Amino acid sequence: MIAPLTSFSDLGLSEKVLEAVKSVGYEEPTPIQLGAIPHVLKHEDVLGIAQTGTGKTASFVLPMLTLLEKGRARARMPRTLILEPTRELAAQVKENFDQYGANHHLSVALLIGGVSFDDQDRKLDRGADVLIATPGRLLDHFERGKLLLTGVEILVIDEADRMLDMGFIPDIERICKLIPFTRQTLFFSATMAPEITKLTEQFLHNPVRIEIAKASSTATTITQKLVASGRKSWEKRAVLRDLIHNEGNELKNAIIFCNRKKDISELFRSLVRHNFSVGALHGDMDQRSRMTMLANFKEGKIALLVASDVAARGLDIPDVSHVFNYDVPTHAEDYVHRIGRTGRAGKSGKAFTIVTTADKKYVDAIEKMSDQKIDWYNGDLASLKQDTSEEEPNRNDKRSKSAESKTGRNAKKRTDKAEQKQESKSREKLPVEKVEKTKDAEPSLKHASATDVRSNDSSKNYAGKLSKEPASPKGFGNDIPAFMLIDTRG
Ligand code: AMP
C-alpha cells in the first residue's frame, strides 16, 4: 500500500527548507501547502483560494526558498516579488522568510510606506533575492528609476481581494505588465469577486486552482453572538465593557473592530479611561507606531486592540481569544475576515457583534452570505426595553449601570456631543487619584489582563502610562487621533 502524501519531505522541498520546517515544529503540511507546493516547485502558476490561518504564507515561501537556492541576486533587479496590500502583511511575510529561510543566506528587502527611501534604495542596490512590497511604494521606487522589474522570475500577489477593497487593482495591473511575461505567478485570494477573476484570466497562465475553504465559511471553532444595543456611542461602549467583564478570565486578549477611524479614537480613549490594557491600530498611524502596537499586542503587553479593517485581514496573531465587532461591518465579507482573527489553528474563540436598529440590513447580509443564523446573546433588538437611540438611557437596563453613568453626570438630557464634552471635561478636571477611585468603585469592571499588565511594569503599559499621564495634545478638541496618545517607546 502506498502511504498518503502527507509529509513535508514528500513535497520536493530542499533539505535546507525541510530543516527549517522541522525546527519551527510543523508536523505535516496544511491542505493549501499540500496542494500548492509541488506545483510551485514545477514552476507552474497557482491560483490559491484560501484565507489566512490556513498556512497560505508557507505554501509560497517554502517552495520559493527552495527555488531561490539556485542563482544569485543582481543590483536593483530583484529575483522574486511579493505584493501585499498592507505594510503589516508585508512585514509579516518578511518574518516568514527570516524564519523559514534561517538556513539560507538570501537578501530579503521590504518596500513599504512610512520608511525612508534611502535605506530601501541601499538594499535594492545590493541586490534582493526577495522583494516584498506594497503596490504604491513599489511603483514609487520604480518611477524614481531605482528598480528594474525585468529580472523577476516569480511574482506573488497575496490577499488579492483586500487589494481590490483598497483600490490597488490598477496598480497591480501596471506592475504585472512591467514584469516579463515568462514569469511564474502565484495568486492568492480568500474570495473571487468578478474583478479578481478578470485579473487572474489576464495575468495567470494555465494556473493550478487550489480551493481550500469557501469564502463565506467561518471556522466552526468560533462561537458567534449578536448583542443588542442602543444606537448612541456611549451605549455601545457600555455594552462592550459589560461583555468584556462578563467574559471574565475566558478573555485573554481581544481585537475590537470599528468601522470608522473616529470611533477607534473615541473608543480607545474611553477604554483607557476605564483602565483597560488597550492599544489602537489603524491605517493613519505611522509605521513605527503600528509595528510597536502590533508587537505589544502579540507579546501580551496589551490585552485589547481597537482596530480598523486594516488589522482584519491576514495578520497572524495566534491565540486571540475574542473578537468584538463594535460596529457591524458594512461588507459581509469583512465579518468573515474579522472574526477569523479568533478560533485559529483549531483553538476555540468567541466573536461578539454589537447590533443596533440601524444595522439590521448588514446583519441580514452577513447571515445570508455565511448561510447561518447567528444567535443573540441576551435577547434581540425587540427585547431592548425601548430604543434609546434618540432618548435617555434606560436606567433599568443592566448596561446603564456603567462607570460612565456612575460618574454622576445627568444622562437624561445629554446628547452624544454633550456626553463627549462632559467626559473630556471631567477627565481634564479629575486628578489621577479620582480617576483611579472611579475605577475602584467598579470592582466588576476590573479586567484581569489589564491588572496583570499594570502590576508588571507600568513603564511598558499603555493603560497605566496613559492613566498617569493623560496627555491631551492641544488643538484637536475631542478628536485627538488615537496614535497621538500612544507611547511608542516600547
Ligand atoms: P497563514 O495562513 O500563512 O497566516 O498561517 C497561519 C499560521 O499557521 C501561522 O501561525 C503559521 O506559523 C502556522 N502554520 C503554517 N503552516 C503550518 C503547518 N504546516 N503546521 C502548523 N502550523 C502551520
Side-chain angles (χ1 to χ4, degrees):
M1 210 169 79
I2 301 168
L5 246 188
T6 52
S7 150
F8 272 109
S9 56
D10 296 321
L11 300 179
L13 294 166
S14 72
E15 278 308 314
K16 274 189 195 172
V17 172
L18 289 176
E19 264 172 50
V21 167
K22 201 168 156 203
S23 64
V24 176
Y26 299 158
E27 282 169 10
E28 55 181 43
T30 65
I32 183 79
Q33 292 163 3
L34 212 49
I37 291 173
H39 294 288
V40 179
L41 290 173
K42 278 193 253 166
H43 302 279
E44 290 172 324
D45 281 6
V46 168
L47 169 56
I49 304 164
Q51 288 172 307
T52 50
T54 55
K56 156 173 84 73
T57 317
S59 82
F60 60 84
V61 174
L62 300 179
M64 280 175 77
L65 283 167
T66 300
L67 294 174
L68 282 165
E69 284 173 21
K70 283 196 195 116
R72 35 193 306 272
R74 282 183 284 166
R76 289 192 287 152
M77 289 183 73
R79 299 168 66 196
T80 60
L81 171 64
I82 300 170
L83 295 174
E84 293 289 339
T86 65
R87 305 161 185 187
E88 282 80 9
L89 280 167
Q92 208 164 277
V93 171
K94 164 119 182 10
E95 276 173 30
N96 274 261
F97 267 98
D98 293 343
Q99 191 182 25
Y100 305 132
N103 307 320
H104 297 71
H105 297 284
L106 295 175
S107 137
V108 182
L110 196 56
L111 294 194
I112 52 178
V115 178
S116 100
F117 275 94
D118 291 347
D119 291 348
Q120 297 180 345
D121 283 346
R122 271 195 290 279
K123 265 226 132 145
L124 289 175
D125 283 345
R126 271 184 259 134
D129 294 289
V130 182
L131 185 57
I132 306 165
T134 47
R137 184 47 83 103
L138 181 90
L139 287 171
D140 284 348
H141 276 278
F142 183 80
E143 276 156 15
R144 291 164 77 242
K146 298 287 181 186
L147 181 63
L148 285 167
L149 293 173
T150 44
V152 172
E153 295 154 25
I154 304 175
L155 168 68
V156 180
I157 299 170
D158 195 17
E159 303 269 335
D161 47 351
R162 187 75 183 140
M163 302 268 198
L164 174 68
D165 289 351
M166 295 174 79
F168 287 153
I169 297 300
D171 285 350
I172 302 287
E173 284 176 338
R174 217 183 126 201
I175 294 167
C176 282
K177 286 177 187 159
L178 295 171
I179 302 177
F181 184 69
T182 50
R183 66 164 186 267
Q184 177 181 15
T185 308
L186 315 175
F187 190 102
F188 294 90
S189 188
T191 56
M192 289 299 288
E195 297 91 329
I196 307 261
T197 305
K198 203 175 133 220
L199 204 62
T200 60
E201 285 166 355
Q202 208 180 342
F203 295 110
L204 297 185
H205 309 294
N206 299 323
V208 179
R209 185 184 168 107
I210 302 154
E211 190 158 354
I212 297 306
K214 256 177 63 198
S216 59
S217 63
T218 47
T220 49
T221 48
I222 307 171
T223 307
Q224 302 170 59
K225 295 282 178 206
L226 301 176
V227 189
S229 166
R231 289 168 67 166
K232 299 243 180 186
S233 48
W234 63 266
E235 292 175 293
K236 292 174 74 173
R237 291 198 297 269
V239 169
L240 175 69
R241 289 196 302 274
D242 277 356
L243 279 171
I244 294 171
H245 292 302
N246 290 347
E247 285 304 290
N249 288 339
E250 261 192 60
L251 196 154
K252 307 276 182 282
N253 57 356
I255 305 183
I256 304 166
F257 285 106
C258 297
N259 289 357
R260 288 168 295 268
K261 266 177 271 175
K262 177 181 163 290
D263 292 333
I264 294 179
S265 189
E266 193 176 286
L267 180 59
F268 167 74
R269 285 183 299 154
S270 166
L271 289 168
V272 167
R273 276 199 300 280
H274 285 277
N275 214 31
F276 286 97
S277 163
V278 60
L281 188 74
H282 61 75
D284 278 1
M285 287 162 63
D286 67 59
Q287 180 62 6
R288 191 159 156 263
S289 307
R290 292 212 280 182
M291 299 308 260
T292 311
M293 191 56 69
L294 203 55
N296 281 327
F297 185 65
K298 278 188 182 180
E299 288 163 22
K301 289 182 190 161
I302 41 178
L304 306 176
L305 188 65
V306 186
S308 67
D309 282 291
V310 163
R313 296 206 186 188
L315 291 188
D316 179 26
I317 305 168
D319 216 11
V320 173
S321 73
H322 285 65
V323 165
F324 296 99
N325 286 316
Y326 178 77
D327 299 302
V328 181
T330 51
H331 298 291
E333 274 172 19
D334 283 339
Y335 178 81
V336 179
H337 288 286
R338 287 183 183 186
I339 73 164
R341 302 300 93 212
T342 185
R344 285 159 82 85
K347 294 206 173 82
S348 61
K350 283 190 172 178
F352 291 95
T353 301
I354 298 175
V355 182
T356 73
T357 48
D359 302 318
K360 200 178 165 308
K361 63 175 183 230
Y362 302 125
V363 173
D364 289 346
I366 289 166
E367 291 186 330
K368 193 165 167 234
M369 190 195 75
S370 56
D371 199 19
Q372 59 169 343
K373 266 265 167 250
I374 309 172
D375 290 336
W376 289 89
Y377 176 63
N378 234 348
D380 61 12
L381 286 168
S383 72
L384 282 180
K385 289 228 168 65
Q386 64 185 90
D387 180 5
T388 55
S389 57
E390 308 302 334
E391 307 254 329
E392 68 206 57
N394 181 349
R395 287 293 182 187
N396 295 328
D397 191 320
K398 181 170 159 256
R399 289 188 286 270
S400 64
K401 289 179 189 156
S402 71
E404 280 168 334
S405 311
K406 282 187 177 176
T407 51
R409 294 185 295 266
N410 182 358
K412 282 197 174 213
K413 287 174 194 157
R414 71 189 168 205
T415 60
D416 234 6
K417 251 203 174 128
E419 190 243 2
Q420 275 183 13
K421 231 184 209 166
Q422 190 75 33
E423 276 195 357
S424 62
K425 241 188 193 165
S426 52
R427 187 155 41 96
E428 277 161 26
K429 276 190 197 151
L430 280 178
V432 170
E433 291 79 0
K434 198 88 173 261
V435 175
E436 295 286 335
K437 211 166 182 189
T438 312
K439 135 206 131 198
D440 286 344
E442 283 284 333
S444 67
L445 282 180
K446 289 231 165 173
H447 180 235
S449 309
T451 319
D452 290 343
V453 176
R454 237 188 354 263
S455 57
N456 281 345
D457 177 1
S458 64
S459 70
K460 286 186 177 157
N461 169 12
Y462 294 107
K465 198 147 197 138
L466 287 170
S467 59
K468 285 192 190 89
E469 302 167 25
S472 292
K474 302 249 179 313
F476 285 87
N478 280 328
D479 292 319
I480 305 165
F483 65 85
M484 295 200 66
L485 292 167
I486 296 163
D487 186 343
T488 58
R489 286 167 288 183

